[in-house]
Amino acid sequence: MGEQKRREEAQKRYFIFERKNYQFMLIGVAFIALGFILMAGGGSEDPNVFNPEIYSWRRIRLAPALILIGFGIEVYAILLNPHKKK
């Protein structure tokens, strides 16, 4: 009977990450998505007309910064160990 119980315990599936990891991952994905949304647009309807809005502060500085912050949060979420004792 003890051997069967050990097999069942060995066959149990465990998630690699805990709830806290997934929460940080969702926050990181939200930052990345917001960055890409802010970066979108700025084109011109007529290809012969230049639209200087494509070089706005929002598209050149803010959106890429949000994307990089999002990737940083994702790395933190992967490396986070919620069971680590302080």
Side-chain angles (χ1 to χ4, degrees):
M1 203 60 161
E3 185 177 326
Q4 183 181 4
K5 188 174 182 179
R6 276 187 247 136
R7 284 185 198 166
E8 288 176 6
E9 288 178 6
Q11 290 178 352
K12 285 185 182 178
R13 301 198 186 258
Y14 296 99
F15 285 110
I16 296 174
F17 300 119
E18 298 292 324
R19 180 180 176 96
K20 193 171 185 179
N21 296 90
Y22 288 116
Q23 289 173 342
F24 276 104
M25 284 183 188
L26 287 175
I27 292 169
V29 167
F31 268 83
I32 294 168
L34 180 63
F36 277 109
I37 289 169
L38 290 176
M39 200 181 300
S44 178
E45 298 294 326
D46 184 11
N48 296 324
V49 177
F50 177 73
N51 186 0
E53 183 63 24
I54 198 164
Y55 296 117
S56 69
W57 182 84
R58 180 186 67 165
R59 288 188 177 91
I60 297 297
R61 303 261 192 246
L62 181 62
L66 285 175
I67 293 170
L68 289 175
I69 290 169
F71 282 131
I73 293 171
E74 290 293 327
V75 169
Y76 176 75
I78 291 170
L79 296 176
L80 178 66
N81 185 0
H83 299 296
K84 184 178 177 182
K85 296 184 180 182
K86 293 181 180 181

PDB file of all heavy atoms in Angstrom, residues 23-49:
ATOM      1  N   GLN A  23       0.611  36.733 -10.720  1.00  0.00           N
ATOM      2  CA  GLN A  23       0.134  38.103 -10.567  1.00  0.00           C
ATOM      3  C   GLN A  23       1.135  39.092 -11.147  1.00  0.00           C
ATOM      4  O   GLN A  23       0.758  40.015 -11.874  1.00  0.00           O
ATOM      5  CB  GLN A  23      -0.122  38.417  -9.093  1.00  0.00           C
ATOM      6  CG  GLN A  23      -1.325  37.718  -8.524  1.00  0.00           C
ATOM      7  CD  GLN A  23      -1.471  37.904  -7.027  1.00  0.00           C
ATOM      8  OE1 GLN A  23      -0.506  38.272  -6.344  1.00  0.00           O
ATOM      9  NE2 GLN A  23      -2.652  37.638  -6.513  1.00  0.00           N
ATOM     10  N   PHE A  24       2.409  38.888 -10.839  1.00  0.00           N
ATOM     11  CA  PHE A  24       3.429  39.772 -11.408  1.00  0.00           C
ATOM     12  C   PHE A  24       3.525  39.608 -12.925  1.00  0.00           C
ATOM     13  O   PHE A  24       3.771  40.575 -13.643  1.00  0.00           O
ATOM     14  CB  PHE A  24       4.793  39.538 -10.748  1.00  0.00           C
ATOM     15  CG  PHE A  24       4.972  40.291  -9.467  1.00  0.00           C
ATOM     16  CD1 PHE A  24       4.886  39.655  -8.243  1.00  0.00           C
ATOM     17  CD2 PHE A  24       5.224  41.645  -9.477  1.00  0.00           C
ATOM     18  CE1 PHE A  24       5.048  40.337  -7.057  1.00  0.00           C
ATOM     19  CE2 PHE A  24       5.392  42.364  -8.301  1.00  0.00           C
ATOM     20  CZ  PHE A  24       5.293  41.703  -7.082  1.00  0.00           C
ATOM     21  N   MET A  25       3.343  38.399 -13.415  1.00  0.00           N
ATOM     22  CA  MET A  25       3.367  38.184 -14.865  1.00  0.00           C
ATOM     23  C   MET A  25       2.225  38.942 -15.550  1.00  0.00           C
ATOM     24  O   MET A  25       2.433  39.547 -16.609  1.00  0.00           O
ATOM     25  CB  MET A  25       3.270  36.699 -15.193  1.00  0.00           C
ATOM     26  CG  MET A  25       4.540  35.950 -14.973  1.00  0.00           C
ATOM     27  SD  MET A  25       4.327  34.243 -15.479  1.00  0.00           S
ATOM     28  CE  MET A  25       5.865  33.548 -14.897  1.00  0.00           C
ATOM     29  N   LEU A  26       1.046  38.926 -14.964  1.00  0.00           N
ATOM     30  CA  LEU A  26      -0.075  39.672 -15.541  1.00  0.00           C
ATOM     31  C   LEU A  26       0.176  41.170 -15.512  1.00  0.00           C
ATOM     32  O   LEU A  26      -0.166  41.884 -16.462  1.00  0.00           O
ATOM     33  CB  LEU A  26      -1.365  39.321 -14.805  1.00  0.00           C
ATOM     34  CG  LEU A  26      -1.929  37.942 -15.092  1.00  0.00           C
ATOM     35  CD1 LEU A  26      -3.146  37.670 -14.215  1.00  0.00           C
ATOM     36  CD2 LEU A  26      -2.287  37.802 -16.554  1.00  0.00           C
ATOM     37  N   ILE A  27       0.782  41.659 -14.447  1.00  0.00           N
ATOM     38  CA  ILE A  27       1.124  43.081 -14.373  1.00  0.00           C
ATOM     39  C   ILE A  27       2.124  43.428 -15.470  1.00  0.00           C
ATOM     40  O   ILE A  27       2.006  44.450 -16.149  1.00  0.00           O
ATOM     41  CB  ILE A  27       1.674  43.439 -12.973  1.00  0.00           C
ATOM     42  CG1 ILE A  27       0.558  43.323 -11.931  1.00  0.00           C
ATOM     43  CG2 ILE A  27       2.291  44.835 -12.962  1.00  0.00           C
ATOM     44  CD1 ILE A  27       1.041  43.393 -10.495  1.00  0.00           C
ATOM     45  N   GLY A  28       3.132  42.569 -15.666  1.00  0.00           N
ATOM     46  CA  GLY A  28       4.120  42.803 -16.720  1.00  0.00           C
ATOM     47  C   GLY A  28       3.504  42.792 -18.110  1.00  0.00           C
ATOM     48  O   GLY A  28       3.815  43.643 -18.949  1.00  0.00           O
ATOM     49  N   VAL A  29       2.595  41.861 -18.359  1.00  0.00           N
ATOM     50  CA  VAL A  29       1.915  41.802 -19.659  1.00  0.00           C
ATOM     51  C   VAL A  29       1.072  43.057 -19.870  1.00  0.00           C
ATOM     52  O   VAL A  29       1.000  43.587 -20.981  1.00  0.00           O
ATOM     53  CB  VAL A  29       1.058  40.517 -19.761  1.00  0.00           C
ATOM     54  CG1 VAL A  29       0.114  40.576 -20.938  1.00  0.00           C
ATOM     55  CG2 VAL A  29       1.956  39.304 -19.870  1.00  0.00           C
ATOM     56  N   ALA A  30       0.445  43.555 -18.802  1.00  0.00           N
ATOM     57  CA  ALA A  30      -0.346  44.779 -18.918  1.00  0.00           C
ATOM     58  C   ALA A  30       0.535  45.971 -19.284  1.00  0.00           C
ATOM     59  O   ALA A  30       0.157  46.790 -20.133  1.00  0.00           O
ATOM     60  CB  ALA A  30      -1.089  45.043 -17.612  1.00  0.00           C
ATOM     61  N   PHE A  31       1.718  46.071 -18.684  1.00  0.00           N
ATOM     62  CA  PHE A  31       2.650  47.152 -19.024  1.00  0.00           C
ATOM     63  C   PHE A  31       3.081  47.047 -20.486  1.00  0.00           C
ATOM     64  O   PHE A  31       3.131  48.050 -21.203  1.00  0.00           O
ATOM     65  CB  PHE A  31       3.886  47.107 -18.119  1.00  0.00           C
ATOM     66  CG  PHE A  31       3.779  47.945 -16.891  1.00  0.00           C
ATOM     67  CD1 PHE A  31       3.133  47.475 -15.767  1.00  0.00           C
ATOM     68  CD2 PHE A  31       4.334  49.213 -16.850  1.00  0.00           C
ATOM     69  CE1 PHE A  31       3.024  48.233 -14.628  1.00  0.00           C
ATOM     70  CE2 PHE A  31       4.242  49.997 -15.717  1.00  0.00           C
ATOM     71  CZ  PHE A  31       3.584  49.502 -14.592  1.00  0.00           C
ATOM     72  N   ILE A  32       3.402  45.846 -20.925  1.00  0.00           N
ATOM     73  CA  ILE A  32       3.838  45.651 -22.309  1.00  0.00           C
ATOM     74  C   ILE A  32       2.722  45.997 -23.280  1.00  0.00           C
ATOM     75  O   ILE A  32       2.938  46.697 -24.279  1.00  0.00           O
ATOM     76  CB  ILE A  32       4.336  44.207 -22.511  1.00  0.00           C
ATOM     77  CG1 ILE A  32       5.605  43.963 -21.696  1.00  0.00           C
ATOM     78  CG2 ILE A  32       4.582  43.918 -23.986  1.00  0.00           C
ATOM     79  CD1 ILE A  32       6.020  42.512 -21.599  1.00  0.00           C
ATOM     80  N   ALA A  33       1.515  45.531 -22.997  1.00  0.00           N
ATOM     81  CA  ALA A  33       0.383  45.825 -23.879  1.00  0.00           C
ATOM     82  C   ALA A  33       0.097  47.329 -23.926  1.00  0.00           C
ATOM     83  O   ALA A  33      -0.142  47.886 -25.007  1.00  0.00           O
ATOM     84  CB  ALA A  33      -0.852  45.063 -23.402  1.00  0.00           C
ATOM     85  N   LEU A  34       0.135  47.994 -22.772  1.00  0.00           N
ATOM     86  CA  LEU A  34      -0.083  49.434 -22.743  1.00  0.00           C
ATOM     87  C   LEU A  34       0.978  50.164 -23.558  1.00  0.00           C
ATOM     88  O   LEU A  34       0.672  51.116 -24.287  1.00  0.00           O
ATOM     89  CB  LEU A  34      -0.089  49.939 -21.302  1.00  0.00           C
ATOM     90  CG  LEU A  34      -0.312  51.438 -21.112  1.00  0.00           C
ATOM     91  CD1 LEU A  34      -1.687  51.834 -21.621  1.00  0.00           C
ATOM     92  CD2 LEU A  34      -0.153  51.812 -19.652  1.00  0.00           C
ATOM     93  N   GLY A  35       2.222  49.716 -23.464  1.00  0.00           N
ATOM     94  CA  GLY A  35       3.290  50.335 -24.247  1.00  0.00           C
ATOM     95  C   GLY A  35       3.056  50.203 -25.742  1.00  0.00           C
ATOM     96  O   GLY A  35       3.230  51.165 -26.499  1.00  0.00           O
ATOM     97  N   PHE A  36       2.630  49.027 -26.185  1.00  0.00           N
ATOM     98  CA  PHE A  36       2.370  48.845 -27.618  1.00  0.00           C
ATOM     99  C   PHE A  36       1.142  49.628 -28.065  1.00  0.00           C
ATOM    100  O   PHE A  36       1.102  50.142 -29.188  1.00  0.00           O
ATOM    101  CB  PHE A  36       2.222  47.363 -27.963  1.00  0.00           C
ATOM    102  CG  PHE A  36       3.527  46.672 -28.171  1.00  0.00           C
ATOM    103  CD1 PHE A  36       3.994  45.750 -27.253  1.00  0.00           C
ATOM    104  CD2 PHE A  36       4.313  46.948 -29.273  1.00  0.00           C
ATOM    105  CE1 PHE A  36       5.204  45.110 -27.432  1.00  0.00           C
ATOM    106  CE2 PHE A  36       5.530  46.324 -29.469  1.00  0.00           C
ATOM    107  CZ  PHE A  36       5.980  45.401 -28.555  1.00  0.00           C
ATOM    108  N   ILE A  37       0.151  49.741 -27.205  1.00  0.00           N
ATOM    109  CA  ILE A  37      -1.032  50.536 -27.552  1.00  0.00           C
ATOM    110  C   ILE A  37      -0.654  52.004 -27.692  1.00  0.00           C
ATOM    111  O   ILE A  37      -1.093  52.689 -28.630  1.00  0.00           O
ATOM    112  CB  ILE A  37      -2.132  50.346 -26.492  1.00  0.00           C
ATOM    113  CG1 ILE A  37      -2.721  48.935 -26.615  1.00  0.00           C
ATOM    114  CG2 ILE A  37      -3.224  51.396 -26.626  1.00  0.00           C
ATOM    115  CD1 ILE A  37      -3.616  48.539 -25.470  1.00  0.00           C
ATOM    116  N   LEU A  38       0.177  52.520 -26.782  1.00  0.00           N
ATOM    117  CA  LEU A  38       0.605  53.914 -26.868  1.00  0.00           C
ATOM    118  C   LEU A  38       1.502  54.166 -28.070  1.00  0.00           C
ATOM    119  O   LEU A  38       1.569  55.287 -28.582  1.00  0.00           O
ATOM    120  CB  LEU A  38       1.323  54.329 -25.587  1.00  0.00           C
ATOM    121  CG  LEU A  38       0.455  54.456 -24.345  1.00  0.00           C
ATOM    122  CD1 LEU A  38       1.328  54.768 -23.137  1.00  0.00           C
ATOM    123  CD2 LEU A  38      -0.612  55.516 -24.533  1.00  0.00           C
ATOM    124  N   MET A  39       2.198  53.150 -28.527  1.00  0.00           N
ATOM    125  CA  MET A  39       3.097  53.310 -29.662  1.00  0.00           C
ATOM    126  C   MET A  39       2.354  53.278 -30.999  1.00  0.00           C
ATOM    127  O   MET A  39       2.859  53.750 -32.017  1.00  0.00           O
ATOM    128  CB  MET A  39       4.151  52.201 -29.637  1.00  0.00           C
ATOM    129  CG  MET A  39       5.386  52.512 -30.442  1.00  0.00           C
ATOM    130  SD  MET A  39       6.589  51.183 -30.427  1.00  0.00           S
ATOM    131  CE  MET A  39       6.968  51.018 -28.718  1.00  0.00           C
ATOM    132  N   ALA A  40       1.170  52.729 -31.014  1.00  0.00           N
ATOM    133  CA  ALA A  40       0.422  52.555 -32.260  1.00  0.00           C
ATOM    134  C   ALA A  40      -0.063  53.894 -32.807  1.00  0.00           C
ATOM    135  O   ALA A  40      -0.223  54.871 -32.087  1.00  0.00           O
ATOM    136  CB  ALA A  40      -0.767  51.635 -32.027  1.00  0.00           C
ATOM    137  N   GLY A  41      -0.328  53.908 -34.093  1.00  0.00           N
ATOM    138  CA  GLY A  41      -0.898  55.081 -34.748  1.00  0.00           C
ATOM    139  C   GLY A  41       0.157  56.070 -35.176  1.00  0.00           C
ATOM    140  O   GLY A  41       1.342  55.784 -35.232  1.00  0.00           O
ATOM    141  N   GLY A  42      -0.304  57.269 -35.514  1.00  0.00           N
ATOM    142  CA  GLY A  42       0.605  58.336 -35.901  1.00  0.00           C
ATOM    143  C   GLY A  42       0.915  58.379 -37.371  1.00  0.00           C
ATOM    144  O   GLY A  42       1.652  59.245 -37.833  1.00  0.00           O
ATOM    145  N   GLY A  43       0.352  57.459 -38.124  1.00  0.00           N
ATOM    146  CA  GLY A  43       0.593  57.460 -39.566  1.00  0.00           C
ATOM    147  C   GLY A  43      -0.251  58.511 -40.259  1.00  0.00           C
ATOM    148  O   GLY A  43      -1.094  59.168 -39.671  1.00  0.00           O
ATOM    149  N   SER A  44      -0.024  58.657 -41.533  1.00  0.00           N
ATOM    150  CA  SER A  44      -0.760  59.624 -42.322  1.00  0.00           C
ATOM    151  C   SER A  44      -1.663  58.881 -43.297  1.00  0.00           C
ATOM    152  O   SER A  44      -1.308  57.827 -43.823  1.00  0.00           O
ATOM    153  CB  SER A  44       0.214  60.522 -43.081  1.00  0.00           C
ATOM    154  OG  SER A  44      -0.493  61.438 -43.874  1.00  0.00           O
ATOM    155  N   GLU A  45      -2.831  59.450 -43.544  1.00  0.00           N
ATOM    156  CA  GLU A  45      -3.752  58.849 -44.509  1.00  0.00           C
ATOM    157  C   GLU A  45      -3.180  58.941 -45.926  1.00  0.00           C
ATOM    158  O   GLU A  45      -3.325  58.032 -46.720  1.00  0.00           O
ATOM    159  CB  GLU A  45      -5.116  59.552 -44.441  1.00  0.00           C
ATOM    160  CG  GLU A  45      -5.798  59.426 -43.098  1.00  0.00           C
ATOM    161  CD  GLU A  45      -6.189  57.995 -42.784  1.00  0.00           C
ATOM    162  OE1 GLU A  45      -6.530  57.242 -43.703  1.00  0.00           O
ATOM    163  OE2 GLU A  45      -6.136  57.633 -41.585  1.00  0.00           O
ATOM    164  N   ASP A  46      -2.545  60.051 -46.217  1.00  0.00           N
ATOM    165  CA  ASP A  46      -1.957  60.277 -47.538  1.00  0.00           C
ATOM    166  C   ASP A  46      -0.450  60.032 -47.446  1.00  0.00           C
ATOM    167  O   ASP A  46       0.242  60.690 -46.667  1.00  0.00           O
ATOM    168  CB  ASP A  46      -2.230  61.718 -47.969  1.00  0.00           C
ATOM    169  CG  ASP A  46      -1.734  62.004 -49.371  1.00  0.00           C
ATOM    170  OD1 ASP A  46      -1.371  61.047 -50.098  1.00  0.00           O
ATOM    171  OD2 ASP A  46      -1.705  63.188 -49.757  1.00  0.00           O
ATOM    172  N   PRO A  47       0.097  59.097 -48.219  1.00  0.00           N
ATOM    173  CA  PRO A  47       1.536  58.817 -48.115  1.00  0.00           C
ATOM    174  C   PRO A  47       2.428  59.974 -48.571  1.00  0.00           C
ATOM    175  O   PRO A  47       3.609  59.990 -48.284  1.00  0.00           O
ATOM    176  CB  PRO A  47       1.732  57.592 -49.005  1.00  0.00           C
ATOM    177  CG  PRO A  47       0.535  57.503 -49.856  1.00  0.00           C
ATOM    178  CD  PRO A  47      -0.572  58.218 -49.162  1.00  0.00           C
ATOM    179  N   ASN A  48       1.872  60.955 -49.262  1.00  0.00           N
ATOM    180  CA  ASN A  48       2.658  62.101 -49.713  1.00  0.00           C
ATOM    181  C   ASN A  48       2.738  63.207 -48.670  1.00  0.00           C
ATOM    182  O   ASN A  48       3.469  64.172 -48.844  1.00  0.00           O
ATOM    183  CB  ASN A  48       2.064  62.667 -51.012  1.00  0.00           C
ATOM    184  CG  ASN A  48       2.160  61.658 -52.129  1.00  0.00           C
ATOM    185  OD1 ASN A  48       3.141  60.911 -52.217  1.00  0.00           O
ATOM    186  ND2 ASN A  48       1.143  61.609 -52.968  1.00  0.00           N
ATOM    187  N   VAL A  49       1.985  63.068 -47.579  1.00  0.00           N
ATOM    188  CA  VAL A  49       1.954  64.088 -46.531  1.00  0.00           C
ATOM    189  C   VAL A  49       2.636  63.527 -45.295  1.00  0.00           C
ATOM    190  O   VAL A  49       2.309  62.441 -44.822  1.00  0.00           O
ATOM    191  CB  VAL A  49       0.492  64.488 -46.204  1.00  0.00           C
ATOM    192  CG1 VAL A  49       0.466  65.500 -45.068  1.00  0.00           C
ATOM    193  CG2 VAL A  49      -0.206  65.018 -47.429  1.00  0.00           C
TER     194      VAL A  49
END
